[in-house]
Amino acid sequence: MSDPVRLIGVFAGEEECVAAIESLRRAGYPKPRVFFPIPSEKIFAALRLPKSPVRVWVLIGGITGALSGFALTIGTSMTWPHIAGGKPIISLTPYIIIAFELMILFGALAGIAGFLITGGLPRLESLTGYSGRFSDDRFGVLITCAPEQSTRVELLLKDAGAEEVQRETA
Amino acid sequence: MAAVASPDYHEIDRQVMRTLQWPGWRYWVWVGALFLIVVWGALCWANQIYRGLGVTGLRQPNMWAAYITNFVFWVGIAHSGTLISAILYLFRSRWRTAVYRLAETMTGFAVLTAGLFPLIHLGRVWFFYWLLPYPNQRWLQPDFRSPLVWDAFAVSTYLTVSLLFLFMGLIPDVATARDESTGIRRTIYNMVALGWQGSEQQWRHFSGVYLLLAGLATPLVISVHSVVSWDFAMAQLPGWHSTIFAPYFVAGAIFSGCAMVLTLLIPLRKLLELEELITPWHIDNLARIVLFTSLIVSYSYVVESFMTWYSHDPFEMVTFQQRYFGPYGYLFWIMVVCNCLIPLALFSPRVRRNLTLLWVISIFVNVGMWLERFVIIAGSLATNFMPSQWGFWTPSLTEVSITAASFAWFLMLFSLFTRFLPIVSMTELKEGLRWLRQALRQESAEAA
């Protein structure tokens, strides 16, 4: 059996790129890898991508931060139970401020950690099919298929508006 | 305006990448001059550490004066960056794209500058960690009811989140810079960009976390200056003990910060030849925020005075009488002119479009807002409950030098950033290309 072929369609605009993704999906091909220079909701929708799980990371980080803030302040007050200014030993109102700040801090740090881990960053090697043009002004659609399907895929990409289709052996 | 009236993605990249070319000698002379001022300030600080706080003008009752004024001023300057980058992002404001990176960079460096002042203000800076509740090897009671402890949490959280937010936005832009560079620059940019390649998975997580960071930064920015204001408002001192301080300080912070953005943006746009990307439309919108927040600040001054009069509290009344007509009275009236009267000129669209005039107005606002912090902080301390304790602060060479050095330090960091990292977000400008083109068309029509 011969090696599969990688086809990289290069598109000038978002609309053409979305059209190519839709065509590939309708033709029953697996999800392509797409490179693009701006965040694009249209491309996310065309690829049927679910929401990023970083939301969960931020939520867990935020809850951990808030609980840590309360644990720190209440724990400290219990360790040094001094009455100051006639206030209760556990003065929740000012402790909310510390809990709030730690909620934001932990939430942000967890969000960044989630982004790096789920996004596979930092990354030392280039992703297959990437080209510097895709961070500038071009959109790239990479699909790997059997050699006998490659002509059809190339036609699909060109019909959708690809400026060029590069062919590589996988 | 240059020839290209309708930039495309590539043109945006080209124009921004041009700013990252190796700078000429004038730039290095500028940075060198700033560095020398910073060195002078550092020497003054070293002298202060060696000889003690006696070298400053800090005497009872004025134990908070220029240093704490600088701290509040710089924290305030930081706020507009988060307003423009996070709050206006959530509102999907179209004009923020060209200016947000600059404002966000300003935020990062302003908080870094502000963070130095509580340290500079310490007589024995090597015990700086006593500001924090832990480590607590002296077994003192860490008091979380103290606004100074809230401040340590709020400002350090703000610094961390601001820098993370700035870094996140930079990732795709630095990747673009990498792809346009060669040699060692390419390697460094690739490391900074974390090997970003703009795949659908990377963008999906990026968009998710960026939105959430904006959502976290928005309440954070409001909380930080509220907490800073409570450093004063929680005290019993007349002139400080006020319930309006939190919104009053937040509005003032946005006011001063947007003015500082204008102060930096107007010359930078010219020097880096970014006129096509940062149009008068963007600047006009910034000027409107300055005008709007000026009105809020002016209203706050009136309400603050009204509350004092309505309270019939004799101590408050005397403090305010001294504020208006005492030894620092002239500073108060300069502040009113700078913060309340001069910005009224921004009601005129012609003034908002006259960049020289706008730049001059922004300088007046910067001066006015520094004075506002000083009038509140040092003015209230000078005339406290006991007239026998009254005393007025006079600046020493050390304080003047360190204040000047803080401006030089901020400008030096900012200047270095502008030539080595993209000061305008290419990604977001491309995203909002339609609006940029519309602004440019409008400019051409108006010029015609």
Side-chain angles (χ1 to χ4, degrees):
Chain A
M1 192 179 156
S2 51
D3 290 337
V5 174
R6 271 199 295 265
L7 295 167
I8 306 157
V10 180
F11 297 85
E14 188 184 35
E15 300 298 333
E16 294 90 333
C17 181
V18 169
I21 297 166
E22 297 283 3
S23 299
L24 290 170
R25 189 172 52 81
R26 276 196 299 272
Y29 291 102
K31 270 184 197 170
R33 174 178 288 165
V34 186
F35 299 101
F36 38 112
I38 55 166
S40 166
E41 289 297 330
K42 287 180 186 168
I43 293 176
F44 296 154
L47 288 167
R48 307 283 199 270
L49 289 178
K51 293 265 187 199
S52 168
V54 291
R55 294 178 304 161
V56 181
W57 285 73
V58 173
L59 179 69
I60 293 171
I63 291 171
T64 310
L67 293 178
S68 307
F70 281 120
L72 175 71
T73 47
I74 293 172
T76 300
S77 304
M78 302 292 278
T79 314
W80 280 271
H82 292 178
I83 294 173
K87 302 289 192 302
I89 297 291
I90 297 170
S91 308
L92 276 181
T93 310
Y95 298 172
I96 289 171
I97 296 165
I98 306 291
F100 174 81
E101 299 299 341
L102 290 186
M103 177 186 80
I104 302 278
L105 180 66
F106 282 42
L109 291 173
I112 298 287
F115 161 68
L116 294 177
I117 291 167
T118 54
L121 295 171
R123 184 176 186 88
L124 296 176
E125 311 92 42
S126 189
L127 286 169
T128 308
Y130 180 74
S131 151
R133 289 185 291 179
F134 302 143
S135 70
D136 179 10
D137 59 350
R138 289 295 182 265
F139 295 69
V141 175
L142 166 75
I143 184 150
T144 307
C145 58
E148 57 274 18
Q149 293 174 320
S150 65
T151 312
R152 189 170 170 233
V153 171
E154 186 171 346
L155 268 177
L156 276 176
L157 293 172
K158 284 198 167 160
D159 282 349
E163 288 177 329
E164 60 177 285
V165 179
Q166 296 169 357
R167 181 186 285 261
E168 293 172 3
T169 307
Chain B
M1 189 159 285
V4 180
S6 182
D8 54 16
Y9 284 10
H10 184 68
E11 181 61 21
I12 288 171
D13 284 356
R14 196 187 65 78
Q15 292 204 26
V16 177
M17 285 306 298
R18 205 176 48 199
T19 68
L20 301 182
Q21 288 169 357
W22 190 254
W25 65 270
R26 286 188 187 85
Y27 171 83
W28 292 112
V29 169
W30 162 252
V31 172
L34 293 171
F35 180 70
L36 288 179
I37 301 172
V38 173
V39 169
W40 171 247
L43 289 173
C44 288
W45 186 18
N47 180 53
Q48 178 188 301
I49 293 170
Y50 181 69
R51 296 176 58 195
L53 281 174
V55 298
T56 67
L58 298 172
R59 304 279 183 277
Q60 283 292 354
N62 298 296
M63 297 315 290
W64 284 10
Y67 293 153
I68 301 299
T69 301
N70 285 329
F71 167 72
V72 180
F73 175 78
W74 284 114
V75 175
I77 289 296
H79 278 48
S80 71
T82 316
L83 169 95
I84 293 169
S85 60
I87 301 179
L88 296 183
Y89 177 78
L90 293 180
F91 282 103
R92 297 284 185 257
S93 172
R94 292 160 192 161
W95 63 269
R96 67 176 272 289
T97 52
V99 297
Y100 95 88
R101 173 69 49 70
L102 182 144
E104 213 169 69
T105 308
M106 193 191 75
T107 292
F109 295 146
V111 186
L112 273 177
T113 312
L116 289 174
F117 277 100
L119 304 181
I120 294 172
H121 185 68
L122 296 177
R124 293 179 291 169
V125 68
W126 52 96
F127 291 130
F128 75 95
Y129 60 92
W130 288 6
L131 290 170
L132 305 170
Y134 292 100
N136 185 14
Q137 74 272 46
R138 295 176 308 141
W139 287 86
L140 294 179
Q141 179 212 1
D143 188 4
F144 286 101
R145 298 184 201 99
S146 163
L148 297 182
V149 177
W150 307 344
D151 217 14
F153 278 82
V155 173
S156 47
T157 299
Y158 189 41
L159 177 65
T160 312
V161 174
S162 302
L163 292 179
L164 286 175
F165 200 48
L166 172 66
F167 176 67
M168 278 298 297
L170 272 171
I171 290 174
D173 279 353
V174 177
T176 306
R178 171 202 62 202
D179 292 336
E180 304 265 336
S181 308
T182 52
I184 185 74
R185 259 190 182 230
R186 187 181 173 87
T187 310
I188 294 171
Y189 282 143
N190 192 37
M191 283 163 70
V192 176
L194 306 174
W196 171 270
Q197 279 154 350
S199 70
E200 77 283 359
Q201 292 299 341
Q202 291 176 347
W203 274 122
R204 179 167 74 105
H205 302 307
F206 176 91
S207 302
V209 80
Y210 199 76
L211 180 69
L212 290 165
L213 277 182
L216 291 172
T218 298
L220 174 65
V221 69
I222 293 166
S223 82
V224 171
H225 223 59
S226 301
V227 166
V228 169
S229 82
W230 293 333
D231 286 345
F232 307 101
M234 293 293 287
Q236 299 291 321
L237 191 78
W240 285 6
H241 191 59
S242 169
T243 49
I244 66 162
F245 259 34
Y248 171 20
F249 269 49
V250 172
I254 293 168
F255 178 48
S256 61
C258 286
M260 185 62 95
V261 174
L262 285 173
T263 308
L264 298 171
L265 182 72
I266 292 170
L268 197 73
R269 163 181 188 269
K270 187 85 183 162
L271 289 169
L272 297 180
E273 297 172 9
L274 290 169
E275 287 100 330
E276 277 175 26
L277 303 184
I278 305 170
T279 68
W281 172 63
H282 296 105
I283 295 174
D284 183 310
N285 279 292
L286 258 173
R288 286 171 197 233
I289 294 190
V290 172
L291 173 62
F292 178 62
T293 44
S294 161
L295 295 176
I296 299 177
V297 166
S298 305
Y299 175 71
S300 302
Y301 296 159
V302 174
V303 169
E304 198 186 18
S305 304
F306 172 80
M307 284 165 70
T308 300
W309 169 77
Y310 197 68
S311 73
H312 279 266
D313 182 303
F315 299 105
E316 285 278 344
M317 298 280 267
V318 169
T319 298
F320 275 75
Q321 197 183 36
Q322 287 294 319
R323 184 174 288 182
Y324 306 145
F325 307 111
Y328 292 147
Y330 70 99
L331 295 177
F332 175 82
W333 294 110
I334 294 174
M335 176 198 95
V336 169
V337 170
C338 291
N339 293 349
C340 309
L341 299 181
I342 290 175
L344 291 179
L346 298 175
F347 270 114
S348 159
R350 274 192 188 177
V351 176
R352 293 201 303 270
R353 297 281 171 137
N354 182 331
L355 300 187
T356 312
L357 203 52
L358 198 54
W359 190 76
V360 173
I361 291 173
S362 75
I363 297 285
F364 274 112
V365 173
N366 289 325
V367 171
M369 283 308 296
W370 194 92
L371 289 176
E372 184 207 281
R373 275 66 163 104
F374 179 82
V375 164
I376 292 173
I377 296 166
S380 305
L381 280 170
T383 55
N384 61 23
F385 295 101
M386 297 284 284
S388 59
Q389 291 181 347
W390 288 9
F392 295 89
W393 174 81
T394 41
S396 67
L397 179 65
T398 302
E399 285 156 309
V400 173
S401 302
I402 290 177
T403 302
S406 76
F407 281 85
W409 160 257
F410 169 78
L411 287 173
M412 185 182 75
L413 293 176
F414 188 80
S415 302
L416 287 171
F417 186 98
T418 57
R419 298 312 299 261
F420 293 98
L421 288 164
I423 195 64
V424 176
S425 168
M426 294 179 264
T427 305
E428 291 221 14
L429 267 179
K430 289 177 195 169
E431 227 183 327
L433 185 61
R434 192 154 52 110
W435 311 112
L436 177 66
R437 284 177 173 165
Q438 199 178 58
L440 286 167
R441 272 200 300 274
Q442 197 182 329
E443 290 307 318
S444 313
E446 280 177 18

